[in-house]
Amino acid sequence: MSDAHPIRSRRPGLSTGARIIAGVVLLVIGAVGAWLQHDAPGRSAQPRTEFTADNPPTGLPPALTTGQHLDWSGCTSVPTARADYECATMKTPLDYQKPEGRTIEVALIRRRATGPNDRRIGSLVLNFGGPGVSGVQGLPEHLDQYKPLLDRYDLVSFDPRGVGATIPVRCGKTADDTGYAGADACAERSGALLPYIGTSHTARDLDLMRYLLGDERLHYFGVSYGTALGAVYAHLYPSHVGRLVLEAPVDPTEDLSEEQVSQVKAVQAAFDRFAAHCAARIRHCPTGDGPEEAARRMARLADRLEKKPAPAGDGSSLDADDLALSVGDHLILGTDGWSPLAEALTALIDHNDGGPLSNGAADMGSADRTKTPPDISHVAQTAITCADSSLRPDVERLARDEARVKAASPVFGEAWSTGVYLCYDWPFEGERVTPQVNADGAAPVLVVGGTGDPTTPYPGARHMARALGEGVGVLLTAEEEGHGTYPQNRCVMEAVDTYLRTGLTPAAGTVCRGSMS
């Protein structure tokens, strides 16, 4: 596992073994087994009425708007090949500047609402983060988290551009290779697609999707990177904003380099809180008597692993970078990850067993922070990130940025510092240094941030709410550890569900108490 080079991903958690060339920490969501056991709510006896909208996206040919209809049918891939899920494809322009030109197909999945037909609000489109996560695979994996909303909404997700079944990016040594062989390979294998897979293009796909789903306004729930997509949509289509939830938001005011520094500081702070808890509450705490001792022990452990990686099962090993990334994966889980993290570090320190640390974040979780993370396309994550960001530092800037990241965290700085090189040699220009998200005139957008988030630090939530515009961004704060607070925090869940059902936002300045209270 020595090929990990983080930038940490902006989404809810993923195990250490699944990392982009730039390295990632991702979401902790989705147990398939849970929904297989109990996901058969009763269907409404009323006949279903399909909604229609009369405000198609402007500038597109009629064949893609009024002449296109989503042909929903049973899904065929595992685990979606069940009667409860429907799949469809949507044709969109590859290049919205040339709408009469080449089209692509966007893969969609739907779980129909189960409540009374006359109380159905419409479709709630979900993006689970990334970039690089398949929504077609993700909806069944995450369904338990959003199932209470099925009484009022069809739950819909999709594969964004570059991901899964929607013009997947290829950067391997051969056309069939799904690995990453460098930026030049991306240009060779997918050069015709790379300029058109950024977030602003996917946001335009969202508006066509909204119309074809029959909604006058888009109802949307985006997590982590999904908040960037939702915010860009609100900027492009403020009059089409319905009920938008942006949870664990990225910071729209930071460029990629600034994001690296903020993120590594946040994960270090989360580790320090874990170390303080471990010293006070866990017998034979592997990190010692507090954060300072923990940093020294982690440095010694990293030196040991740099010289000789520890076995981690199935022929894999765990090196110094993997140590930092795996610890970060556990911290994403919040306090649910603390006891398993202490046990995994003990196994590594005392028995040179890297398996519990390497695999533990994927193998455990609570009823709310479920266990099986979805796959991520590391290639797509790189390609989408570099399509969005126009930051292309020169060698001197890269050296300064790398040094800043290393200096920001004694435990995680070294592993995170390679993320500054993510787009430096990308063969295409990116769109902007930071995204445009101001959405003056839009309906209120609910922004949910956790004060102990190690992946999308809490200041980004404040910045997102402010950047959306006065009267648009409404900030809900949760005093919680971990990346993401819905539905783990009951107060957050009640506020979000009330907003999605009624359109009423919580009062300005609302704070939900939690594990950090």
Side-chain angles (χ1 to χ4, degrees):
M1 295 186 292
S2 60
D3 61 343
H5 300 272
I7 173 174
R8 304 292 277 187
S9 125
R10 298 167 296 186
R11 55 169 269 185
L14 184 71
S15 67
T16 306
R19 300 191 188 108
I20 179 176
I21 185 73
V24 290
V25 168
L26 310 166
L27 337 121
V28 180
I29 42 183
V32 174
W35 59 258
L36 281 173
Q37 294 172 13
H38 50 77
D39 79 334
R43 294 281 181 183
S44 170
Q46 295 179 343
R48 178 180 171 92
T49 302
E50 296 294 344
F51 293 173
T52 58
D54 61 5
N55 57 340
T58 59
L60 297 184
L64 296 180
T65 55
T66 56
Q68 180 176 192
H69 303 279
L70 297 177
D71 183 16
W72 295 102
S73 60
C75 302
T76 58
S77 62
V78 177
T80 59
R82 303 172 60 241
D84 293 330
Y85 293 95
E86 301 171 305
C87 288
T89 57
M90 175 183 73
K91 287 187 176 182
T92 72
L94 173 66
D95 180 359
Y96 277 88
Q97 297 298 315
K98 300 176 181 178
E100 301 280 357
R102 176 183 172 183
T103 62
I104 63 172
E105 291 189 342
V106 176
L108 309 179
I109 187 171
R110 177 172 74 175
R111 179 73 179 266
R112 287 190 180 192
T114 57
N117 186 68
D118 57 3
R119 299 188 69 234
R120 181 161 55 96
I121 295 169
S123 295
L124 180 65
V125 179
L126 300 159
N127 180 281
F128 306 110
V133 173
S134 164
V136 172
Q137 294 296 312
L139 181 60
E141 292 171 347
H142 309 160
L143 183 67
D144 277 351
Q145 293 180 277
Y146 304 97
K147 190 178 291 184
L149 299 169
L150 267 174
D151 65 332
R152 305 300 299 276
Y153 288 97
D154 293 342
L155 297 184
V156 176
S157 195
F158 65 105
D159 286 354
R161 292 174 177 228
V163 180
T166 303
I167 56 170
V169 173
R170 293 287 182 261
C171 297
K173 295 178 181 179
T174 66
D176 297 328
D177 183 359
T178 58
Y180 185 82
D184 289 343
C186 291
E188 181 180 355
R189 307 291 175 204
S190 296
L193 304 177
L194 294 180
Y196 308 109
I197 62 168
T199 299
S200 66
H201 298 278
T202 298
R204 291 177 170 87
D205 293 343
L206 273 179
D207 200 51
L208 180 57
M209 191 185 308
R210 167 203 61 79
Y211 171 73
L212 295 177
L213 289 169
D215 290 331
E216 299 283 327
R217 296 183 176 222
L218 177 70
H219 309 304
Y220 175 86
F221 197 134
V223 180
S224 200
Y225 161 77
T227 65
L229 176 58
V232 169
Y233 177 89
H235 169 73
L236 293 174
Y237 305 101
S239 65
H240 292 176
V241 169
R243 299 168 189 177
L244 264 65
V245 178
L246 307 181
E247 203 231 348
V250 303
D251 192 331
T253 69
E254 291 186 333
D255 64 30
L256 279 181
S257 174
E258 294 164 340
E259 181 182 285
Q260 284 291 95
V261 174
S262 295
Q263 192 179 72
V264 78
K265 287 180 178 179
V267 74
Q268 178 68 54
F271 178 76
D272 289 346
R273 293 190 294 271
F274 156 75
H277 169 86
C278 185
R281 298 292 184 88
I282 298 177
R283 181 178 294 184
H284 306 304
C285 172
T287 53
D289 60 5
E292 292 185 3
E293 176 62 20
R296 289 191 289 269
R297 292 192 181 191
M298 290 291 286
R300 291 196 296 269
L301 183 57
D303 287 343
R304 188 181 99 189
L305 295 172
E306 189 65 31
K307 295 172 184 175
K308 186 177 181 180
D314 296 327
S316 64
S317 61
L318 184 134
D319 66 13
D321 280 352
D322 297 326
L323 169 67
L325 293 166
S326 297
V327 170
D329 287 343
H330 282 77
L331 295 174
I332 282 175
L333 297 169
T335 55
D336 289 342
W338 285 1
S339 179
L341 175 56
E343 294 174 3
L345 285 173
T346 297
L348 178 60
I349 293 169
D350 292 351
H351 306 291
N352 198 39
D353 182 2
L357 185 63
S358 178
N359 303 315
D363 292 340
M364 65 83 178
S366 72
D368 290 327
R369 296 182 188 272
T370 47
K371 299 178 183 179
T372 306
D375 291 334
I376 183 172
S377 167
H378 317 321
V379 170
Q381 187 176 53
T382 301
I384 295 168
T385 299
C386 297
D388 287 348
S389 174
S390 63
L391 191 66
R392 301 290 187 267
D394 58 24
V395 175
E396 292 182 358
R397 168 74 185 272
L398 284 169
R400 291 196 302 271
D401 289 346
E402 183 179 15
R404 288 176 63 214
V405 176
K406 288 181 179 178
S409 167
V411 176
F412 304 96
E414 185 75 30
W416 261 248
S417 66
T418 53
V420 303
Y421 296 94
L422 182 63
C423 301
Y424 86 98
D425 62 347
W426 196 248
F428 297 93
E429 293 184 359
E431 190 166 331
R432 303 181 60 83
V433 174
T434 58
Q436 287 184 299
V437 302
N438 57 297
D440 294 341
V445 173
L446 184 57
V447 179
V448 186
T451 54
D453 194 319
T455 303
T456 51
Y458 175 71
R462 294 200 307 264
H463 298 160
M464 176 66 83
R466 189 178 305 124
L468 286 166
E470 186 175 356
V472 179
V474 178
L475 177 62
L476 175 64
T477 298
E479 294 177 336
E480 286 283 9
E481 296 281 357
H483 185 43
T485 60
Y486 180 97
Q488 297 86 275
N489 183 289
R490 181 176 295 275
C491 166
V492 168
M493 183 175 70
E494 290 176 351
V496 168
D497 289 357
T498 296
Y499 165 69
L500 288 172
R501 288 190 172 107
T502 68
L504 297 176
T505 60
T510 296
V511 176
C512 289
R513 297 177 65 82
S515 60
M516 297 183 70
S517 300

